[in-house]
């Protein structure tokens, strides 16, 4: 696409920004364009197309003005003669900090064993909790690079795709940006396993074709019912993304047993309408009882909110129905940035506070940073705790707790409350008494047995705990 055309697309997305903000973004655009003027991408396009595309992704995410400026300027310090100081003078400190953060994170090497590089890696990861917008610019940068990966060598394609899967997909999940996570997953699979991707893509198309009538009919019926009840709404249908399909099928599931193969997303005006809608949907389509989840009362650890219910739809097909407000949907698509956008009247401190209190990822990151002095240990723990697959287990009240794979009842107990951990004498998982060292599994229902005369955590508890939270609490107890 032409540079001018791209620029127009960016500014079309900025209708909610003030004139002053737009002028600042225009200034960043002109500067980046001049600085990159003699550079080209491997596709042959002028280099500036890349920073504009990154800025477009950021504007779709409702990022603030400084973040969009940083998106436009993110490659200038690395690839041109301008310095951070000059950027700070022309814009402000925040823009400079963001550009600096993105430049540094691009040089990260997770596999290096040298301590100097480890120390550096640690500093950069720890800095993410200071200004999370660095991750957001980096995610937008990676997304555009993945979209244009066909111009790179096969080696580079595989290397980038693997890193995307290991680092950026989890990051997108942690900030709750599902739309970006899904796209990154599909693009990674395409380059990592081309054969499998092709097969899953064909299945995906087949499912889309095959379910079209069923979903259209349900969409129409529910839309009519909601309109009759004066609930403003918008409904979208979708089928599972290609990577999700590939994963489910490669785990041995049959297509017809995947409960969220088909889904309807129902967006309504306010929280009360969500519950009304739920009742109306159930009166038309029979739900599978055990599939109902209330993430509005119990948001996921990345602040995802929605009601989930799987129903028998037209032709008795399973259809996952997601019900949420328009605001919740914006957060579910683009995550943290939309959350900020919606709370913009509140002070920035409140946001930073919410970030550290509500988002599990940042809590864990901060804990790991304060608990592990040794850089190698820090990196190992980050990988083990944050960048591995998760399991989800239930409390007896039905709350969902997210833990890293390999977690034990010890981790569970300390996640609930320090006192529960310290007075634990046993655990019951799905009605069976188990050892507190046993590994927990997805969907386990866990009850911790405590006693007021317990001796507190034993010497070997720490090595049987997976989470930093539990390790830290055990150390603290034994120090006393
Ligand atoms: Mn870039």
């Amino acid at each position: 696409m032409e540079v001018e055309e791209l620029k127009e697309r960016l500014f079309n997305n900025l209708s909610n920004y003030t004139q002053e903000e737009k002028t600042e973004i225009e200034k960043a655009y002109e500067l980046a364009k001049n600085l990159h003027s003699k550079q080209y991408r491997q596709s042959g396009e002028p280099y500036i197309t890349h920073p504009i595309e990154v800025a477009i992704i950021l504007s779709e995410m409702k990022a603030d003005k400084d973040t969009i400026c940083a998106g436009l300027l993110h490659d200038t310090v690395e690839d041109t003669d301008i310095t951070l100081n000059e950027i700070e003078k022309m814009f402000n400190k925040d823009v400079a900090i963001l550009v600096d953060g993105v430049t540094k994170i691009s040089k990260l090497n997770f596999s290096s064993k040298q301590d100097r590089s480890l120390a550096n890696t640690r500093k950069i990861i720890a800095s993410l909790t200071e200004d999370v917008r660095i991750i957001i610019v980096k995610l937008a940068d990676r997304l555009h690079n993945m979209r244009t990966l066909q111009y790179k060598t096969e080696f580079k394609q595989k290397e980038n795709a693997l890193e995307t899967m290991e680092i950026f997909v989890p990051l997108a999940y942690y900030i709750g940006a599902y739309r970006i996570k899904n796209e990154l997953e599909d693009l990674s699979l395409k380059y990592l396993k081309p054969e499998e991707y092709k097969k899953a893509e064909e299945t995906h198309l087949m499912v889309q074709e095959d379910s079209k009538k069923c979903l259209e009919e349900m969409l129409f019926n529910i839309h009519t019912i909601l309109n009759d009840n004066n609930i403003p709404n918008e409904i979208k249908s979708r089928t599972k993304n290609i990577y999700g399909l590939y994963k489910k099928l490669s785990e041995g599931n049959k297509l017809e047993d995947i409960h969220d193969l088909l889904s309807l997303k129902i967006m309504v005006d306010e929280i009360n309408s969500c519950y009304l809608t739920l009742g109306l949907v159930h009166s038309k389509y029979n739900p599978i009882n055990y599939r109902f989840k209330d993430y509005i009362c119990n948001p996921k650890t990345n602040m995802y909110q929605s009601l989930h219910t799987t129903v028998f739809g037209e032709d008795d097909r399973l259809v996952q129905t997601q019900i949420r407000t328009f605001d919740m949907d914006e957060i579910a698509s683009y995550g943290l940035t939309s959350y900020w956008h919606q709370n913009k009247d509140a002070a920035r401190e409140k946001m930073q506070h919410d970030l550290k209190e509500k988002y599990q990822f940042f809590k864990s990151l901060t804990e790991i940073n304060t608990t592990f002095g040794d850089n190698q240990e820090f990196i190992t723990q980050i990988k083990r705790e944050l960048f591995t697959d998760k399991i989800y287990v239930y409390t007896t009240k039905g709350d969902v707790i997210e833990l890293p794979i390999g977690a034990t009842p010890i981790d569970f107990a300390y996640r609930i409350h320090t006192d529960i951990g310290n007075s634990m004498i046993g655990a019951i998982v799905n009605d069976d008494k188990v050892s507190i060292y046993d590994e927990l599994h997805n969907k386990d229902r866990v009850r911790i047995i405590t006693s007021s005369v317990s001796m507190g955590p034993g010497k070997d508890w720490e090595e049987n705990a997976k989470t930093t939270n539990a390790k830290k609490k055990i150390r603290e107890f034994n120090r006393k």
Side-chain angles (χ1 to χ4, degrees):
M1 211 186 288
E2 290 286 320
V3 174
E4 282 303 314
E5 225 175 298
L6 274 176
K7 183 193 167 191
E8 209 177 299
R9 261 184 57 206
L10 170 61
F11 281 86
N12 281 342
N13 283 352
L14 301 180
S15 52
N16 286 326
Y17 295 69
T18 66
Q19 191 49 51
E20 214 174 311
E21 288 173 328
K22 278 190 264 194
T23 311
E24 187 94 339
I25 293 169
E26 173 112 38
K27 193 170 95 184
Y29 163 77
E30 290 297 338
L31 178 63
K33 194 176 146 192
N34 283 333
L35 289 167
H36 290 299
S37 66
K38 297 210 168 58
Q39 298 165 345
Y40 292 86
R41 299 204 93 211
Q42 251 135 344
S43 61
E45 288 174 299
Y47 195 86
I48 186 66
T49 54
H50 166 63
I52 308 177
E53 294 268 18
V54 170
I56 290 174
I57 295 168
L58 290 168
S59 66
E60 286 166 355
M61 296 173 83
K62 316 251 179 212
D64 64 349
K65 177 256 308 171
D66 285 344
T67 308
I68 294 182
C69 288
L72 286 163
L73 296 166
H74 80 273
D75 280 328
T76 57
V77 172
E78 179 74 7
D79 297 340
T80 76
D81 291 333
I82 200 164
T83 66
L84 279 172
N85 254 332
E86 288 168 308
I87 289 184
E88 186 177 335
K89 265 186 223 138
M90 292 179 74
F91 296 88
N92 58 45
K93 184 133 189 113
D94 274 19
V95 175
I97 286 174
L98 292 177
V99 173
D100 187 37
V102 176
T103 310
K104 280 185 183 150
I105 212 175
S106 305
K107 295 182 191 154
L108 265 190
N109 186 353
F110 272 93
S111 49
S112 169
K113 289 253 185 292
Q114 283 181 311
D115 196 60
R116 227 187 63 193
S117 148
L118 284 172
N120 195 30
T121 305
R122 173 179 198 153
K123 241 170 52 203
I124 294 162
I125 296 176
S127 77
L128 292 180
T129 57
E130 295 308 315
D131 200 329
V132 68
R133 293 176 299 175
I134 296 169
I135 302 185
I136 291 159
V137 179
K138 188 60 206 170
L139 270 177
D141 176 44
R142 177 52 61 108
L143 179 56
H144 184 244
N145 283 335
M146 288 299 293
R147 281 178 185 168
T148 51
L149 208 53
Q150 71 265 36
Y151 302 107
K152 298 268 182 196
T153 62
E154 202 190 322
F155 178 79
K156 267 274 163 213
Q157 288 175 347
K158 289 236 162 30
E159 193 183 54
N160 277 339
L162 191 64
E163 192 185 44
T164 299
M165 243 5 232
E166 286 182 341
I167 311 283
F168 294 100
V169 165
L171 281 175
Y173 172 79
Y174 288 134
I175 66 159
Y178 283 90
R179 204 185 287 195
I180 287 168
K181 172 183 163 278
N182 287 343
E183 194 181 341
L184 286 176
E185 282 176 342
D186 285 357
L187 287 165
S188 300
L189 183 66
K190 186 172 165 181
Y191 292 100
L192 284 174
K193 299 189 169 168
E195 293 292 312
E196 281 90 337
Y197 177 85
K198 239 173 128 187
K199 258 199 276 172
E201 190 185 27
E202 275 162 25
T203 313
H204 180 79
L205 285 172
M206 192 266 289
V207 170
Q208 264 181 340
E209 195 51 45
D210 182 58
S211 63
K212 212 171 154 193
K213 240 190 83 210
C214 157
L215 288 175
E216 269 172 15
E217 208 167 310
M218 283 180 79
L219 197 149
F220 177 80
N221 288 338
I222 296 173
H223 192 55
T224 310
I225 296 172
L226 294 181
N227 286 350
D228 289 347
N229 284 275
N230 297 317
I231 300 175
N233 68 90
E234 194 186 320
I235 309 177
K236 285 185 177 155
S237 66
R238 50 128 253 180
T239 51
K240 206 167 179 58
N241 73 334
I242 297 173
Y243 176 80
L245 213 58
Y246 156 78
K247 199 157 171 245
K248 281 279 176 197
L249 293 173
S250 65
E251 283 164 1
N253 294 291
K254 285 201 214 106
L255 212 47
E256 57 272 25
D257 297 337
I258 304 176
H259 75 100
D260 61 350
L261 180 68
L262 313 178
S263 56
L264 285 177
K265 184 167 83 176
I266 308 173
M267 292 158 284
V268 294
D269 54 339
E270 52 182 33
I271 291 181
N272 279 342
S273 308
C274 292
Y275 293 95
L276 281 175
T277 302
L278 179 74
L280 292 166
V281 168
H282 282 177
S283 67
K284 173 80 183 165
Y285 299 105
N286 269 330
I288 306 184
N289 283 331
Y290 64 88
R291 274 285 171 207
F292 172 68
K293 297 223 176 72
D294 186 341
Y295 294 119
I296 292 182
C297 280
N298 289 309
K300 287 194 185 183
T301 50
N302 60 10
M303 299 301 285
Y304 173 84
Q305 288 190 295
S306 194
L307 300 176
H308 283 192
T309 178
T310 300
V311 300
F312 292 100
E314 303 292 330
D315 313 327
D316 270 348
R317 290 172 198 235
L318 294 184
V319 178
Q320 187 197 54
T321 313
Q322 309 173 354
I323 306 166
R324 50 190 180 245
T325 65
F326 290 104
D327 279 0
M328 288 173 191
D329 186 59
E330 208 172 65
I331 294 173
S333 301
Y334 294 117
L336 203 60
T337 35
S338 305
Y339 181 75
W340 261 332
H341 174 72
Q342 289 173 14
N343 289 281
K344 69 172 146 205
D345 290 335
R348 201 179 135 70
E349 285 80 73
K350 179 187 174 286
M351 295 299 111
Q352 200 65 25
H353 175 265
D354 278 2
L355 182 68
K356 287 184 178 162
E357 291 303 312
K358 291 187 181 163
Y359 285 76
Q360 183 63 47
F361 170 68
F362 294 95
K363 270 205 271 188
S364 303
L365 191 59
T366 313
E367 266 165 14
I368 296 171
N369 194 29
T370 51
T371 308
F372 294 94
D374 181 68
N375 291 330
Q376 178 67 63
E377 263 182 14
F378 170 82
I379 306 281
T380 308
Q381 190 62 22
I382 288 274
K383 279 199 211 161
R384 216 184 266 159
E385 196 165 334
L386 298 177
F387 293 98
T388 52
D389 280 344
K390 301 277 172 289
I391 56 164
Y392 297 89
V393 297
Y394 295 97
T395 67
T396 44
K397 282 193 223 149
D399 291 341
V400 182
I401 303 286
E402 179 189 281
L403 292 166
I405 266 186
T408 62
I410 302 175
D411 296 296
F412 180 91
Y414 281 101
R415 177 64 62 76
I416 303 293
H417 199 280
T418 309
D419 293 342
I420 299 210
N422 286 341
S423 57
M424 169 167 67
I425 53 165
I428 293 175
V429 173
N430 307 325
D431 300 326
D432 294 320
K433 195 154 189 293
V434 299
S435 154
I436 59 166
Y437 304 146
D438 279 2
E439 213 175 280
L440 293 173
H441 300 282
N442 230 351
K443 293 184 187 151
D444 277 348
R445 201 159 20 82
V446 188
R447 187 154 74 88
I448 300 297
I449 311 167
T450 57
S451 163
S452 53
V453 292
S454 105
M455 310 285 282
K459 280 263 171 287
D460 46 354
W461 283 27
E462 191 182 332
E463 62 196 78
N464 285 293
K466 196 96 183 167
T467 57
T468 300
N469 173 47
K471 287 177 192 286
K472 194 171 116 190
K473 301 284 166 54
I474 295 164
R475 272 188 215 175
E476 275 168 13
F477 184 93
N478 286 324
R479 223 179 279 141
K480 280 177 200 161

